[in-house]
Amino acid sequence: MRPRVLAWAAVAAAVPCLALALPPSARAAAPAANDPVALPALRWALAPGEPCTAASQVTAETEPWTVKELGLPGAWQLSDGQGVTVGVVDTGVANGLRALVGRVDGGGKDCVGHGSFAAGVIAGSPLAEGKVDGVASGARVLAIAGTDERGATDPQRLAAGIRAAVDGGARIVYVARALLDGREELTAAVAYATQKRALVIAPATPDAAPQGQGGQPDLTARPYFPAFVPQVLSVAAHGPGGSPPKKAPAPFAPDLSAPGEAVVGIGPSGTGHYLGSGSSLAAAHAAGVAALVLARDPRLTPEQLSQRLVASAYPADVPQLDAYAAVAAVPAPERPHGEPREPAARIAAAPHQQGLRTALFIGGGTLGLVVLVAAGAFVVPRGRDRGWQPADSPPGNGAEAPGP
């Protein structure tokens, strides 16, 4: 079972600082685009005979809500993911994407467009035509086809994709799919990745619910793979304000929640944008933040990297990803020629969430301990009054569950 911890307590234990944040209800829901409804919908698979996804003719002109939600402006002052390779096991990543120019290995054709979209979320650079940012614009992408041309997949394809990404030098492996079967194959592939010091990040649920009785969507919470493998960082989706998407499959014991509704991103060609939703996009955001953190400290093991993202997350029933807190909690690496480290976080230069979600970092030592205790005495009662007290932790991905 994976431990579920309050973010402020875990960060205080890991580094001499304490992060306090406003509750999700206080967040502003910034618009995803100038008119999100006008953006074409992202697909995760194509029907037989359906043509490949064409370039979008609509460009988003407003900064996506996900940028402020994750605290990216502050995180970018500390890291851009440079030096980290993220394996994208998806429908492929198209060649020639301007948002990823010069930073894609293994690119080719992406008929569906999902892999290109996810790669843009993870590592895209903003274009002059729009303000859509990826999370880690300095990271490299290793494109691995984990599906056929139409987006269909199976456990063997995904397992082979994980291994290929690791063999290609990826320290972070993003897997776009969640399957009900494949426990044995995917567990072995994840073990291989972990042995090679690579963290696998996967959606806790599929983007489209499986069919239940009567042809109705089955939204029951159940284990999906590879997310349910203990070493995998399992990510669920939330929308603006922190609420889970409506009519989406319920996640089974996810480790983390990240933006996965009304996400704006690139297509497989052109400079227009698409609008997507689903846990696969939440996992893509988590993979990008993992790249920011790993670039800050490449010595982190997969377990340490995963724990860093969870421990620094905003405390909720499912901890909510916070890029700024995750990156700022990692000490800066040693500079060459014996120069001193830079401060762990430049608070004045990086106001988090433009005042909507603030962070207070308290130094170590006796004074820091006194202030920490005093802050806890004040924050905990207030948090309980406002509904911050978490429910009993659900079983983690290490819990026993029925086989596929």
Side-chain angles (χ1 to χ4, degrees):
M1 178 180 295
R2 296 175 179 170
R4 299 293 193 261
V5 294
L6 290 177
W8 53 265
V11 174
V15 294
C17 64
L18 173 66
L20 303 177
L22 294 177
S25 60
R27 301 176 191 168
N34 54 321
D35 184 5
V37 177
L39 295 177
L42 173 69
R43 306 290 299 278
W44 59 271
L46 300 176
E50 188 175 1
C52 292
T53 301
S56 169
Q57 302 302 311
V58 186
T59 300
E61 299 174 356
T62 304
E63 182 181 80
W65 69 274
T66 53
V67 172
K68 291 184 176 66
E69 169 73 11
L70 290 171
L72 288 174
W76 288 332
Q77 296 198 35
L78 302 174
S79 176
D80 67 356
Q82 188 172 4
V84 177
T85 296
V86 181
V88 176
V89 183
D90 203 335
T91 59
V93 178
N95 276 327
L97 296 175
R98 288 177 55 195
L100 294 164
V101 63
R103 294 185 292 114
V104 177
D105 298 315
K109 185 178 180 181
D110 181 12
C111 184
V112 179
H114 192 283
S116 300
F117 188 106
V121 169
I122 294 168
S125 298
L127 302 176
E129 293 84 354
K131 299 180 180 179
V132 177
D133 293 272
V135 175
S137 62
R140 296 193 65 84
V141 167
L142 175 59
I144 302 292
T147 72
D148 66 13
E149 187 181 56
R150 319 294 299 173
T153 192
D154 54 43
Q156 292 73 30
R157 284 182 184 270
L158 291 187
I162 293 171
R163 293 175 182 272
V166 174
D167 290 340
R171 289 286 310 276
I172 299 163
V173 180
Y174 161 78
V175 180
R177 295 301 179 86
L179 304 179
L180 282 171
D181 56 353
R183 182 174 196 155
E184 182 176 348
E185 300 97 321
L186 291 168
T187 297
V190 170
Y192 179 80
T194 304
Q195 182 183 11
K196 299 290 187 178
R197 293 177 58 82
L199 172 64
V200 178
I201 299 177
T205 65
D207 289 350
Q211 282 192 349
Q213 293 183 349
Q216 296 299 312
D218 184 357
L219 305 181
T220 306
R222 62 187 63 194
Y224 287 93
F225 297 92
F228 191 68
V229 178
Q231 293 81 12
V232 174
L233 183 68
S234 171
V235 187
H238 68 253
S243 300
K246 296 179 180 179
K247 298 181 180 180
F252 186 91
D255 296 301
L256 200 62
S257 176
E261 185 178 25
V263 178
V264 178
I266 62 175
S269 60
T271 58
H273 296 110
Y274 281 80
L275 188 70
S277 294
S279 289
S280 69
L281 304 183
H285 280 111
V289 175
L292 296 179
V293 174
L294 191 61
R296 182 87 168 162
D297 188 354
R299 301 167 298 178
L300 293 173
T301 66
E303 182 180 11
Q304 290 170 335
L305 179 57
S306 178
Q307 290 175 346
R308 173 61 54 205
L309 298 184
V310 176
S312 60
Y314 178 83
D317 287 342
V318 180
Q320 295 178 1
L321 181 65
D322 187 327
Y324 180 61
V327 177
V330 178
E334 293 287 351
R335 294 185 176 184
H337 309 302
E339 295 181 21
R341 293 176 183 265
E342 63 181 79
R346 290 172 281 187
I347 304 303
H352 192 143
Q353 301 278 351
Q354 295 185 348
L356 290 174
R357 195 172 169 196
T358 58
L360 172 63
F361 287 84
I362 301 172
T366 304
L367 178 59
L369 180 60
V370 172
V371 177
L372 175 62
V373 173
F378 172 77
V379 170
V380 172
R382 289 290 301 276
R384 288 172 177 164
D385 292 342
R386 288 180 288 182
W388 288 14
Q389 186 174 8
D392 291 340
S393 299
N397 279 14
E400 290 297 323

